[in-house]
Amino acid sequence: MALYLLAPGFTVRSLDGADDRAIPSTAGPAVVLDSESPDAASSAGSGEPGASGSPPSVRDALAGRPHACRESGGHWVEIGYEAADHWVQMTPQLRQRLIDDPLATLDVSEFKTATNGGSASIITNNWVYSGSPRVYRVAGQLREFVTVLGEIMTR
């Protein structure tokens, strides 16, 4: 598994592991992701470390499993397994929509995709719902993660 740091001012930076000095020295906004996503691993020319040793593109890195995020001037927040699972199960289009607008709503079918077929009646720390028919919004660590990504992508 390769780790990557995404922050304003550079595209994607390869890390030497969880103890890489770049992680604590990056003031934020920043995120740490890995490359174990099926999207990133199967993309032709994804830049997956290999002979060239180059990191993946931003698009491919965004498909990676999130490990941590940091708002500007904030502390690093570890992303839990549930939020990370939901992120990698989303379509690239849904990920981008949430990066563009962390308050975007999802319909039941999008929610089921993001939660790997989870019941539309479940609520976790990473989702809130309202209305009839239900619409969902990201919450908790998942919302914090997409908010930080939005900051990075607009700088």
Side-chain angles (χ1 to χ4, degrees):
M1 165 183 66
L3 288 175
Y4 300 101
L5 179 68
L6 180 60
F10 52 83
T11 53
V12 179
R13 179 176 176 179
S14 295
L15 297 172
D16 291 330
D19 295 329
D20 192 300
R21 291 182 189 188
I23 295 173
S25 67
T26 303
V31 297
V32 174
L33 304 107
D34 73 32
S35 62
E36 291 203 10
S37 152
D39 293 353
S42 66
S43 294
S46 69
E48 198 62 28
S52 68
S54 63
S57 69
V58 171
R59 180 178 175 273
D60 288 340
L62 289 176
R65 186 173 186 81
H67 287 269
C69 65
R70 183 179 200 171
E71 293 181 293
S72 292
H75 297 286
W76 281 99
V77 174
E78 195 170 322
I79 305 299
Y81 74 92
E82 183 180 84
D85 285 350
H86 293 177
W87 178 256
V88 297
Q89 291 164 175
M90 291 180 193
T91 64
Q93 297 80 10
L94 180 54
R95 287 184 206 123
Q96 188 61 53
R97 196 167 96 217
L98 292 172
I99 291 168
D100 294 341
D101 179 11
L103 298 176
T105 59
L106 285 71
D107 63 26
V108 172
S109 65
E110 290 172 316
F111 173 80
K112 285 184 176 236
T113 298
T115 59
N116 196 24
S119 167
S121 65
I122 71 163
I123 283 299
T124 68
N125 293 328
N126 295 299
W127 299 96
V128 294
Y129 71 89
S130 62
S132 180
R134 286 187 176 177
V135 292
Y136 295 83
R137 285 191 176 90
V138 292
Q141 292 175 342
L142 190 54
R143 183 169 171 194
E144 190 168 350
F145 176 70
V146 297
T147 300
V148 170
L149 281 175
E151 286 183 54
I152 292 169
M153 304 308 278
T154 59
R155 288 189 178 195

